[in-house]
Amino acid sequence: MSTQHSGGNRKPSTKAVSGAKPKQGGDEDEVLEEDALVEDALEEDALEEDALEEDALEEDALEEADEAPATPAKPKANPRKSAPARKTTATTAGKRPASRPAAKKIAPVKVKQGVSWGPIALFTTVGVLALGIVGFAGYQVYENGLGWKDRADQISGIQDYYKIDKAMVGQREHVWGPQTYKVNPPVAGNHNANWQRCLGDVYTAPIASEHALHSMEHGAVWITYNPSLPADQVEKLAKKVRGNDYMLMSPFENLDKPISLQAWGFQLKVDNADDKRIDEFIKALRQNASLEAGTPCSSGDIITETGTTPRDLGKDGSATEMGGGN
């Protein structure tokens, strides 16, 4: 804290120094002694003022160090040699300047938000499902809009004899005795008046084509297979036939393919029973490829016997007459 003083301009005090004895008379020794005492007092005052001023300088230096910690401290000057007398005014005496370091501005931290994949995945899944539903519905409309012949023609490898030999497909007279066919197994042509039972029947021996053709005229699908076909393949075919009306199955000699499927006017040959086209053929043509729709395989003059020679039941007129509507 600075102290107000006048430095070296202070006038010597004329007051008697405490403890000094006044001398009688006014001689010169007394004057000299008094001057010496005055000088000692002045010197003590000067030392006291220097000490106070040094304390003030040290205090000011500490204040400056607090206010500016980054500034290196300068060596302290000797107040006796270089420090001038510090002058203060009444308005600033006893007060320290209020000073605070400038607040450092903190840059805002930008947080980068990641992509929220959850909603995106959800919307994508919903969109795919919606497209699948719409696509399936459109396919069903398309399928339902097609005729059964058009659906059959979409099966790869199928032979459509309505297009290949329409005249042959139109032959459907009831005749007695064995017949010769252009296609084997036959898919159309004149046939016996008696039909082979087709209530999901699995025949383990060959049957007469003349009877099988009459079953196909009613809308049945006839599955034939080469007798050399492995037993497990035969069983797979049998599972597609058993218990299904308008279906029958039997071995057939001299097939050029392991398996051959027939419906009236259509044929499909495949290499094994796992071929998916077998089910497609059955779905498209069973009961659809019928020239006498609604006639069940359990009615009329049916036979269940095997053998390739047709049985002319009713040839003598006791059962079904030649050329009957069945």
Side-chain angles (χ1 to χ4, degrees):
M1 181 175 180
S2 61
T3 305
Q4 185 174 0
H5 62 86
S6 60
N9 295 325
R10 184 174 179 180
K11 294 181 181 180
S13 175
T14 57
K15 184 178 180 181
V17 178
S18 175
K21 294 181 180 181
K23 292 186 178 182
Q24 299 292 327
D27 55 2
E28 185 178 9
D29 292 336
E30 185 178 356
V31 172
L32 292 174
E33 185 179 357
E34 185 178 354
D35 292 338
L37 292 173
V38 170
E39 287 178 0
D40 291 340
L42 292 174
E43 187 175 354
E44 287 177 1
D45 291 341
L47 290 174
E48 184 180 357
E49 290 174 359
D50 290 341
L52 293 173
E53 185 175 357
E54 186 176 354
D55 291 340
L57 291 173
E58 288 178 355
E59 191 172 340
D60 292 341
L62 290 174
E63 291 178 1
E64 293 175 356
D66 291 339
E67 294 175 358
T71 304
K74 295 183 180 179
K76 184 168 56 175
N78 190 345
R80 300 176 68 93
K81 295 182 179 179
S82 59
R86 186 181 181 91
K87 295 183 179 180
T88 59
T89 62
T91 57
T92 59
K95 295 184 181 180
R96 295 181 184 177
S99 172
R100 294 184 181 178
K104 185 178 180 181
K105 294 183 178 179
I106 301 176
V109 178
K110 294 182 179 180
V111 179
K112 185 178 181 181
Q113 296 182 352
V115 178
S116 181
W117 292 107
I120 295 176
L122 177 61
F123 290 138
T124 301
T125 303
V126 172
V128 170
L129 289 174
L131 288 175
I133 293 171
V134 172
F136 179 75
Y139 175 77
Q140 289 297 315
V141 171
Y142 171 76
E143 281 289 299
N144 293 332
L146 294 176
W148 62 270
K149 288 184 179 180
D150 295 327
R151 291 197 299 273
D153 286 339
Q154 290 181 337
I155 300 172
S156 176
I158 198 169
Q159 298 296 309
D160 182 353
Y161 284 94
Y162 282 92
K163 297 178 180 179
I164 298 171
D165 193 342
K166 191 173 182 179
M168 181 189 70
V169 174
Q171 294 176 359
R172 49 174 297 197
E173 295 295 325
H174 292 170
V175 295
W176 301 118
Q179 303 295 312
T180 302
Y181 299 104
K182 296 169 63 175
V183 177
N184 279 301
V187 296
N190 296 331
H191 52 271
N192 197 276
N194 306 286
W195 59 88
Q196 197 81 23
R197 193 177 70 176
C198 50
L199 297 172
D201 293 275
V202 175
Y203 299 97
T204 58
I207 60 176
S209 296
E210 292 82 358
H211 297 312
L213 267 177
H214 198 156
S215 300
M216 291 162 60
E217 186 183 28
H218 292 181
V221 170
W222 179 27
I223 297 179
T224 58
Y225 61 91
N226 196 304
S228 63
L229 188 70
D232 63 327
Q233 291 278 297
V234 174
E235 180 59 24
K236 287 182 180 180
L237 292 174
K239 287 181 178 179
K240 298 177 184 297
V241 174
R242 291 191 189 103
N244 295 313
D245 201 1
Y246 296 96
M247 293 286 296
L248 71 162
M249 167 181 163
S250 66
F252 196 95
E253 298 287 345
N254 301 319
L255 279 179
D256 57 351
K257 284 283 188 177
I259 302 169
S260 180
L261 291 84
Q262 290 71 227
W264 190 274
F266 294 89
Q267 188 174 68
L268 175 67
K269 295 181 178 181
V270 298
D271 293 324
N272 61 77
D274 296 317
D275 197 311
K276 294 181 179 180
R277 293 175 297 170
I278 296 175
D279 292 336
E280 294 175 1
F281 186 96
I282 295 172
K283 181 180 179 181
L285 297 170
R286 185 171 71 96
Q287 287 190 268
N288 289 326
S290 173
L291 300 181
E292 295 179 1
T295 304
C297 288
S298 60
S299 65
D301 298 325
I302 58 174
I303 63 172
T304 58
E305 291 79 10
T306 59
T308 58
T309 301
R311 300 174 183 275
D312 296 333
L313 299 178
K315 183 178 181 179
D316 56 0
S318 60
T320 304
E321 294 186 1
M322 184 71 172
N326 294 330

